[in-house]
Amino acid sequence: MADKKTILITGGAGFLGSHLCDRFIAEGYKVTAMDNLITGDLRNIEHLFRHADFEFYHHDVSKFVHVPGKIDYILHFASPASPIDYLKIPIQTLKVGSLGTHNLLGLARAKKARMLIASTSEVYGDPTVHPQTEEYYGNVNTVGPRGVYDEAKRFQEAITMAYHTYHGLETRIVRIFNTYGPRMRLNDGRVLPAFIGQALRGEDLTVFGDGSQTRSFCYVDDLVEGIHRLLLSDYSGPVNIGNPSEITIGEFAEEIIKLTGTKQKVIYQPLPKDDPKQRQPDITKARKLLNWEPKVGRAEGLRITYEYFKSLPRELLFARDHKDFGSYIK
Ligand code: NAD
Ligand code: UDP
């Protein structure tokens, strides 16, 4: 029997990384997850530890990365992803996108592995083109609060493409649009866990600004399918993966109120600086190249995610965020 394919997944204890670990274990790969747990949680992958084809390294990928043995694929997903996370740890965010990516590209080269990086719709900044196609260069405030994330990701794309063109490395770039599902951190500040957490605690839902800004939410299983297809494709340019179904944040709050049956109301708080006013992926490329499109509608995806949040221990609901970045801030 041929050797099993091996895959290294950085950020493997995070929301998306843990779902990717599940998927590649199910596909029969040997999976190595690597994570420093700065925003992730071992509970997301603890069910995998008994699996013979799964291993975990507790490591910061912004420092030199060594993994023994062969590696066929690397998925680089390590990075804080929620605005409140990367505002709290801006330097680590810049480092994991730049130094971390450089380390992993070096590892990919040494192992002759194919590397896929998790880029983001944030490379488009506050977009002036709508919906966003991969050809749009974006509108990013480099020195604004979100610049640490957006520019790390833009650098990440640039160095990945340079390794592709200069070293001939096999690379893939996925631009991920807002994705949600089970294992999001209840208090990570992103809009969906924020609203559901507030509903479950009996608090009012905090809409930032007047709620007219839009997002397009993709259910995690659809995203994972798109990433799997992209990894195995032969296309090295950036590809948007997301669900084009767009909604205002005000309407989204109403959907959560209906879903949860909460008696609470919406309250309005100031819009954070540089918060993108609109966001919707143009997925023509993913449809054509990968024959991919999302299958899970928001009603179904939200229902599954709500069930997950309801199943969490109550103390988590009332705990302040379990993430204390203190020990990481140098
Ligand atoms: P997450 O915070 O749940 O996961 C990120 C993981 O990376 C965490 O487990 C964290 O501990 C780990 N990590 C961070 N810095 C690290 C370092 N230096 N070394 C090792 N591990 C480190 O966030 P997520 O939503 O799962 O996002 C995963 C990736 O997908 C990120 O790269 C993010 O930028 C990208 N992305 C996510 C979304 C989304 O909607 N969820 C959208 C666009 C892009
Ligand atoms: N948002 C909100 N209330 C919250 C959290 C977020 O109105 O409690 C808004 C936020 O201002 C943004 C949108 O919801 O317009 C999505 O925010 P999120 O942090 O989930 O992701 P982003 O797409 O901004 O990175």
Side-chain angles (χ1 to χ4, degrees):
M1 207 178 81
D3 268 2
K4 289 195 172 205
K5 293 282 182 202
T6 58
I7 189 162
L8 169 67
I9 303 179
T10 75
F15 162 48
L16 298 181
S18 64
H19 284 280
L20 288 163
C21 290
D22 285 343
R23 173 65 187 260
F24 282 92
I25 285 286
E27 296 282 341
Y29 287 56
K30 275 174 149 346
V31 174
T32 300
M34 184 174 282
D35 203 297
N36 68 350
L37 304 178
I38 192 167
T39 61
D41 195 319
L42 281 180
R43 279 175 292 203
N44 291 336
I45 48 171
E46 65 185 356
H47 58 286
L48 292 173
F49 277 86
R50 72 183 84 97
H51 209 291
D53 287 330
F54 181 77
E55 62 178 352
F56 176 74
Y57 286 82
H58 186 194
H59 182 68
D60 177 350
V61 300
S62 301
K63 306 203 168 101
F64 183 80
V65 179
H66 172 71
V67 177
K70 77 164 183 137
I71 303 178
D72 298 300
Y73 301 104
I74 297 177
L75 300 183
H76 181 28
F77 275 66
S79 170
S82 141
I84 62 163
D85 284 348
Y86 58 72
L87 287 176
K88 279 189 215 155
I89 42 174
I91 314 291
Q92 285 83 353
T93 302
L94 281 156
K95 282 169 75 174
V96 73
S98 54
L99 307 181
T101 304
H102 188 210
N103 289 336
L104 291 156
L105 286 165
L107 182 70
R109 233 187 123 204
K111 303 279 186 183
K112 299 188 172 39
R114 179 180 298 178
M115 172 143 148
L116 179 148
I117 56 156
S119 186
T120 165
S121 51
E122 281 283 327
V123 299
Y124 302 121
D126 187 5
T128 55
V129 166
H130 194 73
Q132 292 78 55
T133 62
E134 290 85 350
E135 283 68 40
Y136 177 48
Y137 292 164
N139 176 36
V140 169
N141 175 4
T142 58
V143 294
R146 300 171 85 102
V148 295
Y149 182 67
D150 301 8
E151 291 303 329
K153 292 291 184 179
R154 289 168 69 98
F155 175 87
Q156 181 180 47
E157 287 198 9
I159 191 171
T160 299
M161 194 46 82
Y163 265 68
H164 176 67
T165 50
Y166 187 73
H167 289 307
L169 190 74
E170 286 251 38
T171 54
R172 306 287 180 267
I173 300 174
V174 58
R175 289 189 181 151
I176 302 168
F177 283 64
N178 296 67
T179 299
Y180 69 96
R183 303 188 191 150
M184 291 186 97
R185 220 166 76 236
L186 192 55
N187 298 313
D188 83 357
R190 286 185 272 194
V191 66
L192 182 140
F195 285 172
I196 292 188
Q198 288 162 341
L200 288 172
R201 288 189 298 269
E203 297 168 359
D204 291 335
L205 275 61
T206 52
V207 167
F208 298 163
D210 63 5
S212 64
Q213 72 273 31
T214 68
R215 293 296 185 271
S216 306
F217 295 99
C218 182
Y219 186 66
V220 61
D221 288 359
D222 282 333
L223 178 86
V224 166
E225 178 61 30
I227 289 168
H228 185 251
R229 288 184 191 209
L230 177 61
L231 180 69
L232 300 184
S233 78
D234 56 8
Y235 188 72
S236 53
V239 178
N240 290 338
I241 299 282
N243 190 324
S245 169
E246 186 180 1
I247 185 172
T248 69
I249 294 301
E251 289 163 344
F252 190 59
E254 293 305 330
E255 282 192 359
I256 301 290
I257 288 175
K258 215 163 137 209
L259 171 77
T260 58
T262 176
K263 298 280 173 288
Q264 304 301 130
K265 59 182 189 314
V266 161
I267 53 170
Y268 294 89
Q269 293 185 352
L271 190 67
K273 184 165 164 43
D274 296 337
D275 197 292
K277 283 181 274 309
Q278 53 182 1
R279 185 181 284 160
Q280 187 202 127
D282 180 320
I283 58 165
T284 309
K285 208 163 246 169
R287 280 200 170 103
K288 226 191 270 165
L289 293 170
L290 312 176
N291 192 23
W292 174 89
E293 62 181 10
K295 300 259 183 291
V296 183
R298 214 169 39 244
E300 187 188 351
L302 287 181
R303 191 182 45 71
I304 301 167
T305 310
Y306 179 46
E307 290 305 318
Y308 166 77
F309 282 122
K310 272 201 301 191
S311 75
L312 293 177
R314 265 191 90 67
E315 62 266 21
L316 265 188
L317 195 57
F318 289 94
R320 282 191 50 220
D321 193 354
H322 71 284
K323 287 292 161 196
D324 170 8
F325 297 118
S327 60
Y328 288 96
I329 295 171
K330 304 207 169 67

